[in-house]
Amino acid sequence: MSRKVDIRGGVVVYQERVAWSGLVSSIIVFAVYVTLVLVQADGGDLTAIDWLPPMLWTIGGGIALSILVSVAWGIVAKARDPEASTETDVRDRDIGVMGGRVEHVVLVIAGLGVIVLCALGAELFWIANAMFAGFAISAFLGGIARVLAYRFGLV
């Protein structure tokens, strides 16, 4: 069984660190992307900007950021408690599955939104950004679900 979280500086299990890393990364990546798009548009038409490079760079940057934060936190955790730094158990697996289900629900909704936008003949900008927002929101809500489950237990 996982060690209980001690907010006063105790052990945070490996999977919870990964959940926190993904959650923080998703917030930063979405904020950076929205900022880049709005700065590039400069109050003009959003569909006229070159949105693909910022989108691809923020997706790649988000993946890299999540990995880097998780690895750095893991190094610090291993220095503090080598035995607990990477151990996982059934509770971790169950929380991971639950978080994954939350993510899947959001992705299905985003996918349906993309289909509707395609059916309506929307600009490519809106279709791509609807899916990007779906990815970001699913990562955010999945991370929230996991962190809440670690902090308050599974329902």
Side-chain angles (χ1 to χ4, degrees), residues 55-107:
M55 182 181 286
L56 294 178
W57 278 107
T58 53
I59 290 171
I63 293 168
L65 178 64
S66 180
I67 292 170
L68 287 175
V69 169
S70 180
V71 168
W73 197 351
I75 290 171
V76 172
K78 187 168 182 129
R80 293 181 71 189
D81 188 356
E83 292 179 17
S85 64
T86 57
E87 70 181 26
T88 60
D89 60 14
V90 174
R91 179 176 174 253
D92 296 319
R93 187 196 68 205
D94 291 346
I95 290 172
V97 168
M98 185 268 307
R101 287 182 181 151
V102 170
E103 291 170 348
H104 289 152
V105 167
V106 175
L107 283 177

Side-chain angles (χ1 to χ4, degrees), residues 19 23 98-100 102-103 106 137-147:
L23 177 61
M98 185 268 307
V102 170
E103 291 170 348
V106 175
I137 293 169
S138 76
F140 175 73
L141 293 179
I144 291 286
R146 285 183 179 98
V147 167

